Amino acid sequence: MAQVVIVGGGIVGAGIAYHLAVEHGWDGIVVIDQGELPYNVGSTSHAPGGVVIASHSKLMAEMALYSSRLYRRLDPIDDKHINCFALGGLELARSEARGHDLRRLHGACKSFGIATHLLSPHETVERLDFMDPAALAGSLFVEESALVRGYHIVGDLLSKSGALTLPHTALDEIETAGGRIAAVTTSNPEHPRIETELVVIAANIWSPALTRGFGMEIPLRAFQHQYVIGPRLSGWAGFDRSDLLGENTYPLIRDLDAAMYYRQHWDQLGIGSYHHDPHMVRSEHVGASAMREFTPEDFVEAWELAKELVPELRGAEPQFDTAYNGMFAFSVDGYPIIGESKHLPGLWSANASWITHAGGVAKSVAEWIVTGTTEWDMRQAHLYRFQDYATTQAFVDTVTKKNYREVYDIVHPRQPITEPRNVRLSPFHARQVAADAVFTAFAGLELPNWYESNAVLVEEHTDQIPARNGWEAGWWSPIAAAEHLAARDRAGLWDLTGLSIIEVSGPGAPEFVNELCSNDMSSPAGSVTYTCWLTPGGGIKRDLAVARMARNRFWMFVGEGTVGMDLHWVETHAPPSVVVTNISGAYSALGIFGPAARDILGSVTPADLGNEAFPYYSGQWIDVGVARVYAVRLSYVGELGWELHIPVDSSLAVWDALVAAGEPHGLILAGMAAMDTMRIEKGYRLWGADIHTEYDLVEAGLGWTAKLNKASFIGRDSAAAAKVKTPKKKLVPLRIDDDTAVLMGYEPVGKGEATVGYVTTGNHGYSVGHGVGYAYVPAELAEPGTTLHVEYFARRIPATVVQEPLFDPKGDRMRA
């Protein structure tokens, strides 16, 4: 019997075998592949081998850095197998806009502990003597980027794993018994049936077709990408092809503005190009190989762009010894897709990865299988981060084509998805369009960022809204600032349909919810409690509000963008005595917040909204006009107000009633941008940025949510240990003394010449009158008054640790 059968012998599958064996001591590992091993027919076989470390994503940077270091330390099988050219990488800029982005990337890399250097055009050409400095605006040199031979690394990983490798072996079926995996059947006559309880699908571009029958949707597509080897450069004529180390003596070169890259092959230049229309291939049509015939018509523009950079190519004809279209996987959001199936326990996905991240993906999958947790937070790579719409054929086709076209594009962190739009609409959408809403897409749901109809408010608050310009301010509007200030003065109405509701009911619900949550959940029906879910190691799985609807019924309010992962977490731990239901689709939500909120809501409901009848952090069913809604008295913006959870078919009636009632009180419609600036100056955490599984409650300033007098809860022991030890780091608010700065996250925070942390979230606090950034810094630097700096596009701006919360520190406004 095998401990695990890994389907797919590319670099990810081989990496999982290696990590399970070498890092976790497993044996009984079987790797099957439909092609040869280790020289298989997948993407690893043709990948030119670039390992790109620099990234604006912390998870992807960590995975890439780990991969690069893993590949460097592997010993070649013999002297004919050179695994890695550890020569670094150059990210080229042709435009000033790209140079600006590379300065931001340089900062992010510093935050992640990645050594990079900004270079001028002439400094760049000192490293690339065959290129024209006149074509460049500069570059970023990344010390630990590399070039590798993927197929040699596969052989080395498999050899060290001791796995039984079965080439030319296709997966036929997965047999089940008692709702779990019992065996796999294969096309291999010597191993037609392999008993196992664990199967990892790491077949990448073939995987969606393999897993669909088991209820596991993997939203990725294969895309053809061009690579050629041929141009011989005169300066390289002396390279000896018997010298394996001499095949490549230059760094990995990425021509970002042209969506191309370059590498040396002894005396020849290799050129890779994404600079052509997407050629998408669905999983079921990939066939026996990840290779396709070269399409010369797609390389015409790429050749012209290459000649701009490499003078020796000018006047030459595009003649190549090697030319092909090789397929790589593109997921709908550009991240790996890993995790265990909730429909068939024991079935795992390890897909949507390239060589750059394969080692990190393999490490994480192995950790997750063996220990149930991972070193890095998996929210961006989780199998169940996708809602149903994101796995439909039309959506996957459209978005992956867009991702291919934009593979090297400069994308603003706050830029919403460009296509497809209007995938999901809240019941209030028509009213918002009529009010000239500027929308952002949140988990496919169109929600207002701000309303152009509120432009008249800007004049009212001009002295409180600093001017902003430049690329970094591209997705900012002074109208959002005016909405923030007007809501603080009077009241705002927000569309909160992006909140999801997981209902837990049944006789075991009280005990289960208390076990799931860090806070004491034994308060009576009608109470609402802010709490966290923790991993066994004490990391913050998520924060949330929980309403006790009845003795044996609870509503858990989570984010729309994470409801799939959150539902999976609850279902995974739920005992038979409870029923877990996602009721999000049955309800919309509105938030009415601000000093006038009680007067406005009170005019359309007979309910008593006073403090005694309806205290802060409580909930009850109330009538709003002719609709019955569940009202929760809490506020993510730090103001008096209520969240109203409304049956979808009654939604418009409630919107219209509130808008009409609010007119004499100066009620405004407000968007998500204002909500973010209001929450950050109030000190409320943003899950996925300020808090996630890599931080514990004490570090995050949420230690008060762990009630250790409870009998037990997931992560209790770790939470208890965190409370009695001195934390190494703490999340603190920073006053940013530059009103023009638009912090976007991952800007380095420094003390003197040392980088001591990075910004998790940042924005402008319009009510407190200055910029605000949150950052984890060493505990000894967490005292209010400590002076630090934030590196912002390669320049330092002063920052000071301040006491939180900055706005309404006693919370009087919410309890008014």
Side-chain angles (χ1 to χ4, degrees):
M1 179 175 180
Q3 269 194 285
V4 59
V5 174
I6 299 169
V7 181
I11 197 164
V12 172
I16 294 169
Y18 169 88
H19 283 85
L20 287 174
V22 175
E23 302 296 333
H24 299 285
W26 279 32
D27 54 18
I29 300 168
V30 178
V31 178
I32 68 173
D33 195 282
Q34 64 180 350
E36 187 57 77
L37 286 173
Y39 304 99
N40 60 39
V41 294
S43 299
T44 306
S45 65
H46 66 71
V51 181
V52 181
I53 306 300
S55 174
H56 290 296
S57 161
K58 179 174 177 287
L59 175 63
M60 299 299 262
E62 286 172 327
M63 285 184 164
L65 186 61
Y66 177 86
S67 298
S68 180
R69 291 174 179 175
L70 170 67
Y71 304 155
R72 289 166 191 245
R73 72 173 183 259
L74 289 174
D75 298 323
I77 298 171
D78 54 50
D79 59 5
K80 294 182 180 179
H81 293 75
I82 306 300
N83 282 339
C84 182
F85 298 96
L87 300 166
L90 278 165
E91 309 285 298
L92 304 184
R94 293 190 185 219
S95 64
E96 287 303 319
R98 180 69 64 178
H100 193 57
D101 189 61
L102 289 183
R103 288 191 286 276
R104 186 169 76 93
L105 182 59
H106 174 61
C109 287
K110 185 176 290 188
S111 293
F112 307 149
I114 297 169
T116 59
H117 308 275
L118 290 164
L119 305 179
S120 69
H122 286 283
E123 288 171 326
T124 303
V125 174
E126 285 177 2
R127 298 170 186 260
L128 304 175
D129 53 11
F130 60 96
M131 288 197 171
D132 185 353
L136 298 173
S139 69
L140 182 72
F141 180 67
V142 186
E143 289 187 7
E144 292 194 74
S145 288
L147 284 157
V148 300
R149 289 191 177 97
Y151 42 86
H152 290 339
I153 288 177
V154 168
D156 198 7
L157 291 168
L158 290 175
S159 175
K160 286 178 167 56
S161 74
L164 171 63
T165 58
L166 302 178
H168 306 293
T169 301
L171 173 70
D172 288 340
E173 295 289 343
I174 299 177
E175 295 180 7
T176 62
R180 294 195 63 89
I181 294 172
V184 298
T185 59
T186 80
S187 64
N188 189 312
E190 296 181 6
H191 300 273
R193 185 175 184 275
I194 305 169
E195 291 186 2
T196 187
E197 295 180 349
L198 182 64
V199 175
V200 180
I201 304 295
N204 213 22
I205 57 178
W206 287 276
S207 289
L210 290 176
T211 61
R212 195 167 292 128
F214 303 104
M216 180 188 283
E217 294 288 345
I218 300 177
L220 65 78
R221 292 288 185 265
F223 282 84
Q224 297 180 46
H225 146 272
Q226 295 194 308
Y227 193 71
V228 301
I229 304 173
R232 286 176 164 79
L233 302 186
S234 59
W236 296 355
F239 282 95
D240 180 2
R241 287 182 171 265
S242 66
D243 177 12
L244 298 180
L245 287 173
E247 179 186 359
N248 196 81
T249 60
Y250 290 86
L252 166 66
I253 306 156
R254 295 209 304 165
D255 183 7
L256 299 172
D257 289 310
M260 295 169 64
Y261 60 88
Y262 304 84
R263 64 161 294 179
Q264 178 190 10
H265 295 277
W266 290 286
D267 61 340
Q268 292 178 288
L269 182 65
I271 306 172
S273 174
Y274 298 96
H275 194 94
H276 56 82
D277 289 337
H279 297 309
M280 185 191 75
V281 184
R282 295 198 183 106
S283 181
E284 58 270 25
H285 300 144
V286 170
S289 171
M291 297 284 276
R292 290 291 191 270
E293 290 295 320
F294 186 65
T295 50
E297 64 275 13
D298 289 317
F299 204 74
V300 173
E301 288 185 13
W303 182 247
E304 294 304 312
L305 289 165
K307 290 194 292 186
E308 291 176 8
L309 273 188
V310 184
E312 197 168 335
L313 301 183
R314 297 167 190 170
E317 293 298 318
Q319 297 178 342
F320 313 118
D321 293 350
T322 300
Y324 57 82
N325 286 10
M327 284 186 274
F328 290 145
F330 280 73
S331 66
V332 294
D333 59 4
Y335 286 89
I337 302 172
I338 64 179
E340 184 179 19
S341 169
K342 62 182 179 182
H343 301 291
L344 182 56
L347 180 64
W348 285 75
S349 168
N351 291 288
S353 175
W354 297 1
I355 281 177
T356 285
H357 307 105
V361 167
K363 169 186 181 292
S364 299
V365 172
E367 288 173 346
W368 204 346
I369 288 172
V370 176
T371 69
T373 190
T374 55
E375 177 183 357
W376 306 314
D377 186 273
M378 288 291 110
R379 69 191 183 279
Q380 294 167 303
H382 199 293
L383 172 64
Y384 289 110
R385 68 187 184 271
F386 308 107
Q387 295 194 5
D388 287 345
Y389 75 88
T391 64
T392 62
Q393 179 172 291
F395 186 88
V396 178
D397 286 356
T398 300
V399 173
T400 54
K401 286 179 183 177
K402 175 190 74 70
N403 291 351
Y404 184 93
R405 290 192 301 269
E406 299 175 358
V407 63
Y408 287 169
D409 279 11
I410 302 169
V411 178
H412 196 289
R414 294 196 173 114
Q415 179 180 334
I417 190 172
T418 53
E419 60 174 326
R421 295 298 296 267
N422 296 324
V423 173
R424 301 173 62 219
L425 304 179
S426 88
F428 316 112
H429 185 75
R431 301 290 193 271
Q432 293 160 352
V433 170
D436 292 327
V438 175
F439 291 96
T440 186
F442 175 68
L445 181 67
E446 297 289 330
L447 293 175
N449 235 351
W450 59 81
Y451 292 84
E452 290 292 332
S453 55
N454 285 331
V456 295
L457 298 173
V458 175
E459 229 175 280
E460 184 182 333
H461 301 283
T462 301
D463 59 336
Q464 294 172 273
I465 305 174
R468 288 176 165 180
N469 51 49
W471 174 85
E472 54 266 41
W475 296 94
W476 170 85
S477 171
I479 298 172
E483 289 176 359
H484 168 139
L485 294 163
R488 289 258 192 254
D489 287 346
R490 303 185 292 275
L493 185 68
W494 278 269
D495 185 350
L496 302 182
T497 304
L499 284 170
S500 294
I501 308 171
I502 299 174
E503 182 178 88
V504 177
S505 61
E511 292 77 16
F512 172 57
V513 171
N514 228 358
E515 176 70 16
L516 202 62
C517 298
S518 63
N519 213 329
D520 184 359
M521 309 306 293
S522 59
S523 298
S527 62
V528 177
T529 305
Y530 177 77
T531 186
C532 292
W533 297 337
L534 305 181
T535 67
I540 303 170
K541 184 69 179 175
R542 85 150 304 123
D543 68 326
L544 68 160
V546 179
R548 190 165 193 172
M549 310 297 290
R551 184 180 184 280
N552 292 333
R553 186 159 63 101
F554 296 79
W555 281 8
M556 298 179 172
F557 300 104
V558 299
E560 187 77 351
T562 65
V563 65
M565 291 184 284
D566 296 334
L567 187 64
H568 185 233
W569 180 258
V570 177
E571 290 174 337
T572 298
H573 293 92
S577 57
V578 305
V579 176
V580 178
T581 312
N582 180 9
I583 62 172
S584 308
Y587 290 87
S588 68
L590 290 172
I592 182 165
F593 307 121
R598 181 180 282 118
D599 292 336
I600 297 168
L601 183 58
S603 68
V604 294
T605 181
D608 185 347
L609 302 180
N611 280 326
E612 189 171 335
F614 207 139
Y616 185 55
Y617 265 101
S618 68
Q620 54 186 269
W621 291 99
I622 67 171
D623 296 345
V624 176
V626 296
R628 181 65 55 85
V629 308
Y630 191 71
V632 176
R633 189 177 167 191
L634 54 78
S635 164
Y636 192 52
V637 299
E639 293 289 345
L640 169 69
W642 284 262
E643 290 180 3
L644 305 176
H645 298 274
I646 312 163
V648 166
D649 54 4
S650 302
S651 298
L652 280 181
V654 173
W655 173 283
D656 291 342
L658 289 171
V659 169
E663 187 173 355
H665 297 275
L667 176 72
I668 64 153
L669 304 181
M672 305 309 291
M675 177 165 281
D676 188 63
T677 55
M678 294 172 82
R679 73 94 196 159
I680 198 169
E681 65 182 14
K682 185 59 183 170
Y684 291 148
R685 279 43 173 160
L686 179 63
W687 185 86
D690 299 321
I691 51 176
H692 51 69
T693 59
E694 294 176 30
Y695 307 120
D696 67 39
L697 291 174
V698 174
E699 292 170 338
L702 299 176
W704 58 272
T705 68
K707 297 302 187 283
L708 301 179
N709 56 344
K710 293 200 306 179
S712 70
F713 59 88
I714 297 170
R716 182 191 183 282
D717 291 346
S718 297
K723 278 196 171 187
V724 298
K725 70 179 182 182
T726 302
K728 293 182 179 179
K729 57 189 174 184
K730 288 185 178 180
L731 182 65
V732 298
L734 303 175
R735 176 188 175 116
I736 306 300
D737 295 324
D738 184 337
D739 287 344
T740 65
V742 185
L743 299 182
M744 289 169 279
Y746 296 137
E747 292 89 354
V749 174
K751 180 68 172 177
E753 297 305 310
T755 299
V756 298
Y758 56 82
V759 172
T760 54
T761 57
N763 219 312
H764 196 83
Y766 297 103
S767 299
V768 298
H770 58 77
V772 181
Y774 268 80
Y776 284 92
V777 300
E780 63 271 19
L781 298 177
E783 286 299 313
T786 303
T787 57
L788 302 167
H789 65 261
V790 171
E791 188 171 318
Y792 181 72
F793 289 94
R795 67 180 177 90
R796 291 182 179 182
I797 55 177
T800 307
V801 178
V802 289
Q803 186 69 47
E804 66 172 347
L806 295 163
F807 178 79
D808 187 27
K810 295 182 179 179
D812 295 335
R813 295 170 72 100
M814 294 180 292
R815 295 174 173 82

